[in-house]
Amino acid sequence: MTVPERNARPEGKARPEGDARPEGDAPPARRGRRGGTTASRERILEAARRLFAEHGFEGTSLRQVARAAGVDPAMVHHFFNGKDELFALSVELPADPEEVLAGVSSARPEHRAELIVRAVLRLWESPAQPSLVAFLRGTLGSKARTALLRELVTRTVVSRIMAGVPGPPQDVALRGDLVATQMVGLMMVRYVVRLEPLASAAPEDVVRLVAPNVQRYLTGDLAQERLLDQRGS
């Protein structure tokens, strides 16, 4: 005959309040996200990167992302606060363009260039520089990431830089592209390729040399009518 365990309770009897749980009892189920949700989040991001690269921001819906990831649409909303956040995380930027360009769009267009150049230099001279260099190099080596970056730059960077610049939409878009060439070129030459003497020039000297050209692209005379007529002929 077996001897009953000392700590055993009669079947069906509830444990008294405050009674310690004997070793071996299963712990109560934890609240929170279920197991496997990290994998679901990664599948959503992977599907989003592919769809945003193929169809752009406007051509991609959260339902399409959920379908491609094999999850319920509610799961997308569980992990991401809307399509803008999902898009930004899909690109995996090392910095938030909204924070970097804070105050630029509120400045008058004719006084904006220096703010733009200073904002870019402040970011690239920060501890985030290694991540930025790695991101830029990795993006240029991938068609899909380049497409995502192009969409993001158009939506969140150029739109802020060009806010309030007067002129027909086609002319403003051209000016925005020209500003982008100046700033991307500055990043590549100074921080990635590191051509001297620009690579080691003082930030104030860079602002003094680059900002006037950026300002000309923003509001100066570009003889655009002739350029656009040639492009359309």
Side-chain angles (χ1 to χ4, degrees):
M1 182 175 66
T2 59
V3 179
E5 293 182 10
R6 180 177 300 175
N7 291 330
R9 293 189 306 276
E11 184 176 355
K13 185 176 180 180
R15 176 180 289 128
E17 185 177 356
D19 189 20
R21 183 186 304 111
E23 185 178 355
D25 274 16
R30 292 188 302 174
R31 296 179 181 179
R33 294 177 179 175
R34 296 170 296 177
T37 53
T38 299
S40 297
R41 185 178 187 275
E42 290 305 313
R43 289 204 308 273
I44 292 169
L45 281 170
E46 183 180 349
R49 291 186 190 104
R50 184 173 69 255
L51 291 173
F52 283 134
E54 292 175 357
H55 308 295
F57 182 87
E58 298 298 336
T60 300
S61 70
L62 293 182
R63 286 189 174 275
Q64 288 174 320
V65 172
R67 190 181 306 117
V71 300
D72 189 274
M75 183 70 75
V76 180
H77 292 282
H78 174 69
F79 285 115
F80 306 98
N81 187 25
K83 190 164 72 167
D84 283 294
E85 182 181 66
L86 176 58
F87 179 75
L89 291 174
S90 298
V91 183
E92 299 178 314
L93 281 179
D96 184 354
E98 186 174 353
E99 294 180 3
V100 173
L101 297 172
V104 169
S105 59
S106 60
R108 294 176 61 85
E110 58 268 26
H111 303 300
R112 193 173 291 175
E114 186 173 314
L115 292 175
I116 295 170
V117 179
R118 289 187 184 280
V120 170
L121 290 177
R122 186 164 54 247
L123 172 64
W124 279 83
E125 299 289 335
S126 75
Q129 184 182 133
S131 298
L132 291 164
V133 172
F135 171 79
L136 197 54
R137 284 176 170 163
T139 298
L140 295 177
S142 166
K143 289 183 179 180
R145 289 172 67 91
T146 300
L148 283 172
L149 181 62
R150 179 171 60 247
E151 186 81 11
L152 182 74
V153 167
T154 301
R155 282 179 47 78
T156 64
V157 177
V158 175
S159 61
R160 283 185 171 83
I161 288 174
M162 303 308 295
V165 173
Q170 189 176 11
D171 291 359
V172 173
L174 175 62
R175 288 180 179 275
D177 289 349
L178 292 171
V179 171
T181 64
Q182 187 73 38
M183 301 318 300
V184 173
L186 174 62
M187 295 179 220
M188 288 293 297
V189 172
R190 180 173 169 86
Y191 298 105
V192 180
V193 183
R194 301 191 65 83
L195 287 181
E196 294 291 355
L198 182 61
S200 57
E204 284 300 319
D205 290 336
V206 176
V207 172
R208 177 175 55 83
L209 293 168
V210 175
N213 205 34
V214 173
Q215 191 62 59
R216 184 173 72 87
Y217 288 152
L218 280 169
T219 58
D221 181 13
L222 301 178
Q224 291 184 53
E225 292 184 2
R226 182 178 61 192
L227 176 60
L228 294 175
D229 286 344
Q230 290 175 352
R231 199 165 68 175
S233 61

